[in-house]
Amino acid sequence: MLRVVVCVSGGGTNLQAIIDGIARGAVCNTEIVKVVSNNPGAYALERAKRAGIEGVCVSPKKYESRELFEDALLGCVEEAAPDLIVLAGFMVKVPEKMIKRYENRIINVHPALIPAFSGTGYYGLRVHEAALARGVKITGATVHFVNEDMDAGPIIMQKAVEVYDGDTPEVLQKRVMEEAEWVILPWCINLIAAGQVKVENGRVTVVE
Ligand code: GAR
């Protein structure tokens, strides 16, 4: 069983896609052992509760320094002894210590085709606002391993999504989630659980 900790900050629709994927057998050999949020009001925590998964909030507001918050976050994750950490709409810069400790064992879903609309300042709705402002005709989502550079780790999977005239950021966000994020995130976890994802020289290959 692949022990997965899912880190969240908001609505948790990607968390839900993983929960549902496990429930219907599309994601095999995987157990979500804990959901960690930096935001006490995250609806994702409610989703975890409904699915019978332990949900914990580690809020930066409760710590005197960033370092203390980061230590608490790492401690909370480590307690669950995960094989994989999934960032599913987690709006916190992952502490360096955590990245070192879990090299090639942290994945993130990003709502664009990296390297487009990625890096510092590109998160959530802002990504779709930028895509629309640039007038791209195709966008999508990316699942990648997390390294010390923002949105720059080895890419595991990407899926393209069309942009239509008249799209608003909200409409585009929804299409990217439905057509890409909720598909490729559970899919990647299933591949990792099956031991099919190899990282070599910063590149990912999916083996049979
Ligand atoms: C998702 O679109 C996810 O790709 C994005 O935040 C949203 C969270 O939604 N993540 C980032 O922008 C990270 N850079 P959710 O809470 O409903 O899964």
Side-chain angles (χ1 to χ4, degrees):
M1 274 287 184
L2 186 82
R3 295 174 61 83
V4 176
V5 166
V6 183
C7 296
V8 296
S9 298
T13 63
N14 279 287
L15 166 67
Q16 192 67 54
I18 305 166
I19 293 171
D20 295 347
I22 294 172
R24 58 164 204 278
V27 180
C28 303
N29 207 23
T30 298
E31 185 188 359
I32 302 175
V33 290
K34 200 179 213 177
V35 170
V36 182
S37 174
N38 61 310
N39 167 16
Y43 187 66
L45 287 172
E46 179 62 31
R47 294 182 191 270
K49 196 172 160 191
R50 285 186 192 177
I53 301 163
E54 183 190 4
V56 179
C57 175
V58 182
S59 167
K61 289 181 186 149
K62 292 211 165 150
Y63 298 89
E64 275 176 20
S65 68
R66 189 73 189 173
E67 203 186 342
L68 286 173
F69 163 65
E70 291 189 347
D71 287 348
L73 182 66
L74 183 57
C76 179
V77 166
E78 273 184 327
E79 264 174 20
D83 301 307
L84 181 73
I85 300 165
V86 177
L87 310 183
F90 189 53
M91 304 304 178
V92 170
K93 191 174 184 308
V94 181
E96 228 166 88
K97 267 191 222 167
M98 190 151 134
I99 293 171
K100 287 213 174 80
R101 169 89 174 73
Y102 293 95
E103 197 192 1
N104 292 336
R105 288 192 292 155
I106 308 176
I107 64 171
N108 177 50
V109 60
H110 184 76
L113 295 173
I114 288 173
F117 312 115
S118 61
T120 307
Y122 288 104
Y123 56 86
L125 215 50
R126 289 180 183 213
V127 175
H128 305 292
E129 284 164 3
L132 290 175
R134 184 62 185 86
V136 294
K137 305 302 180 200
I138 300 280
T139 184
T142 303
V143 175
H144 64 94
F145 284 107
V146 173
N147 66 11
E148 46 294 327
D149 301 317
M150 186 75 89
D151 297 334
I155 292 171
I156 306 169
M157 199 179 283
Q158 296 187 297
K159 191 166 189 294
V161 173
E162 280 191 81
V163 181
Y164 298 133
D165 289 345
D167 274 351
T168 61
E170 290 79 6
V171 166
L172 184 57
Q173 179 181 52
K174 187 163 178 279
R175 189 179 312 121
V176 168
M177 284 176 157
E178 284 174 355
E179 293 183 12
E181 296 185 50
W182 302 343
V183 178
I184 64 174
L185 183 59
W187 188 347
C188 286
I189 295 169
N190 186 53
L191 288 174
I192 291 169
Q196 287 181 256
V197 176
K198 304 280 175 232
V199 193
E200 234 176 326
N201 301 323
R203 292 201 189 189
V204 169
T205 45
V206 176
V207 295
E208 285 306 308

